[in-house]
Amino acid sequence: MKRFILGLLCILLSTTVEAVIEYQLSDFMKEETTGGFGYVSIDDKPYFKTTVNPNFSIKGLQVGLGVTLYIPVAGDDWPTSADWLTIRYLGYDYQKKHGFKYGRLSKLTLGQGLLVDNFDTGSGGTSEFNNNKTGILGYVSVLKAKLTGLYTTQKVIGARAEIPVVELAETPVIIGATYMKDEDGIQDDGSSGTVINRPEQDGYAADISYPIGGEFFILYSEYAELIDQGKGISSGARGTFFSVIDYKAEYRILGTGFVPGYFNNTYQATGFNFSSGALQEQVSGVLVNASSNIMGEYAKAGLQYELYDDVNVLSAALGWRQIGPVTGVLNYTKPFNTENDNAILIGSFYYRTTKFYDLIFKVKRVYITSTEFTESYDVGFVFKLERLIPSLPI
């Protein structure tokens, strides 16, 4: 039984590898934002909006809804890329063995990250959430094996299976297999501000990991292939120092036509052309990743950098819990592409006032070149009734 539990814990650990550096504003918030009103730019048109975000719990089933009313400022119609009713979250978990979650899925890494690296179903379009940015992730444990399945509204499907196969020094060696497929690609005519095109694509990966030092030191290796494009292999180590510093370092050999971490956190937001953006010859390179808590849990910073000859990939993030009246996060990502310098910068800030409302600012920039970009933004007000009527029991 002890070995079974250890094996299951190691399986869970190998599934949730933190790869590309990215933070969410909710990671640093103490308050819950259940509603408010504000100003938002959607498809380059201004709107006032009012939002209510009710949350429910029904016998272990967690439900989060979003009800939003958009009022055109300049007489425009209802925004085509927005929904008045959204399912922000729907999920159930039984002892971390069986369950599912539906909504915007982010920070999803399957395997060691060579194929599926921090995938985000909702990175495309504006900063506004809608039902087209959702997906469902289900998982089940059978004996020592764990099976995971993914399906998104953008018709991206994924599957993952992993199991401990042998013990060395009383520590299980874990093998896993991953499959990911975009059934219809991405064809965006520019209605969101940027023309985005990706072809249909699928790929698979196989990996092996050995947590010889527990969470402190995990050895791993992974082979991945993008069908009809190219293949790559990686080997390295990752771990955590006393829950303060997370690290990852690996060596990679990438073949012609391969793109590391192809299904990543900018997949829905950036286009890609294999004939011009993928590798034209085999290269080798390194990946280093480090993140650390600053001042305890009040702030966190991280960076991941990859270098393959003259091709570099970068993600960096900074988040803080509350400095003065402001809580905020900044995320910057430059994905793999040999053709251009496409990058995404997202900032989210929560500003506490002394009045009956607080402010939320969101800015999203998608860089077409190093100097040219499209931008969407959102300014919101969060009602604080306890400040307006202090005697309320809330």
Side-chain angles (χ1 to χ4, degrees):
M1 178 61 69
K2 180 179 179 180
R3 292 181 178 179
F4 170 75
I5 294 174
L6 178 60
L8 184 59
L9 289 175
C10 290
I11 287 175
L12 291 172
L13 178 63
S14 66
T15 304
T16 57
V17 177
E18 181 93 8
V20 168
I21 302 294
E22 183 180 32
Y23 301 144
Q24 304 294 330
L25 186 61
S26 59
D27 298 338
F28 302 88
M29 288 286 296
K30 293 181 292 184
E31 303 93 339
E32 290 188 7
T33 56
T34 57
F37 67 96
Y39 174 86
V40 62
S41 173
I42 304 176
D43 304 334
D44 291 327
K45 297 178 181 178
Y47 297 87
F48 287 114
K49 73 171 186 176
T50 301
T51 303
V52 178
N53 297 322
N55 299 313
F56 308 94
S57 179
I58 307 173
K59 294 184 178 180
L61 180 67
Q62 304 297 319
V63 183
L65 301 178
V67 181
T68 304
L69 174 64
Y70 294 95
I71 302 174
V73 174
D76 297 305
D77 295 328
W78 182 276
T80 57
S81 61
D83 294 314
W84 73 270
L85 177 63
T86 57
I87 301 177
R88 297 182 295 105
Y89 179 83
L90 180 66
Y92 177 81
D93 177 79
Y94 176 74
Q95 298 180 353
K96 296 185 178 181
K97 294 181 180 180
H98 319 291
F100 74 94
K101 50 186 176 180
Y102 171 89
R104 178 175 177 174
L105 305 176
S106 60
K107 298 184 179 181
L108 179 60
T109 295
L110 301 179
Q112 309 303 323
L114 191 59
L115 179 68
V116 184
D117 184 17
N118 210 40
F119 183 69
D120 184 345
T121 64
S123 64
T126 69
S127 59
E128 285 291 280
F129 174 73
N130 60 50
N131 291 317
N132 286 327
K133 297 185 177 187
T134 62
I136 183 168
L137 180 74
Y139 51 94
V140 59
S141 298
V142 181
L143 297 178
K144 295 183 179 182
K146 184 175 183 181
L147 308 176
T148 303
L150 168 71
Y151 184 81
T152 80
T153 54
Q154 299 296 322
K155 295 185 179 180
V156 177
I157 61 174
R160 167 83 177 163
E162 52 195 10
I163 187 171
V165 291
V166 67
E167 286 192 359
L168 298 177
E170 298 186 349
T171 301
V173 176
I174 304 164
I175 62 171
T178 302
Y179 178 75
M180 197 78 162
K181 180 178 182 179
D182 186 342
E183 293 187 326
D184 60 358
I186 303 175
Q187 293 83 38
D188 190 324
D189 60 3
S191 59
S192 63
T194 306
V195 177
I196 299 173
N197 289 290
R198 281 184 183 266
E200 301 174 16
Q201 185 60 52
D202 58 344
Y204 65 88
D207 64 277
I208 183 170
S209 59
Y210 182 42
I212 187 173
E215 294 187 4
F216 175 74
F217 189 70
I218 303 171
L219 294 173
Y220 64 88
S221 185
E222 185 169 32
Y223 170 87
E225 181 170 344
L226 292 169
I227 306 301
D228 297 327
Q229 303 296 345
K231 60 192 71 175
I233 188 170
S234 66
S235 294
R238 55 183 169 84
T240 300
F241 288 101
F242 308 109
S243 300
V244 175
I245 298 177
D246 298 324
Y247 73 90
K248 181 178 182 180
E250 67 181 51
Y251 178 75
R252 291 177 166 182
I253 300 175
L254 310 179
T256 302
F258 186 71
V259 180
Y262 181 71
F263 298 96
N264 57 29
N265 64 319
T266 64
Y267 181 84
Q268 300 290 161
T270 58
F272 193 85
N273 187 320
F274 278 94
S275 63
S276 57
L279 292 168
Q280 304 302 310
E281 60 182 4
Q282 178 176 302
V283 301
S284 60
V286 295
L287 176 151
V288 291
N289 174 314
S291 62
S292 176
N293 294 329
I294 305 171
M295 300 163 47
E297 296 182 354
Y298 286 94
K300 193 172 184 179
L303 183 144
Q304 176 170 295
Y305 183 69
E306 304 170 50
L307 180 62
Y308 314 99
D309 292 344
D310 58 347
V311 180
N312 64 83
V313 184
L314 174 67
S315 66
L318 173 66
W320 60 94
R321 193 163 186 172
Q322 183 175 349
I323 298 178
V326 179
T327 295
V329 294
L330 290 168
N331 290 294
Y332 176 85
T333 303
K334 178 190 177 300
F336 183 100
N337 198 318
T338 64
E339 181 183 23
N340 55 50
D341 291 323
N342 283 357
I344 297 177
L345 175 64
I346 300 176
S348 299
F349 309 94
Y350 187 95
Y351 183 84
R352 298 165 183 82
T353 72
T354 58
K355 304 183 183 301
F356 65 92
Y357 60 86
D358 290 340
L359 301 174
I360 294 182
F361 304 91
K362 297 180 182 178
V363 180
K364 177 179 179 180
R365 285 186 176 183
V366 178
Y367 284 86
I368 303 170
T369 66
S370 59
T371 57
E372 182 183 1
F373 59 86
T374 61
E375 185 175 80
S376 62
Y377 51 89
D378 182 343
V379 180
F381 297 82
V382 180
F383 289 112
K384 309 299 292 186
L385 293 181
E386 67 274 21
R387 299 180 193 162
L388 182 64
I389 309 175
S391 60
L392 282 177
I394 58 175

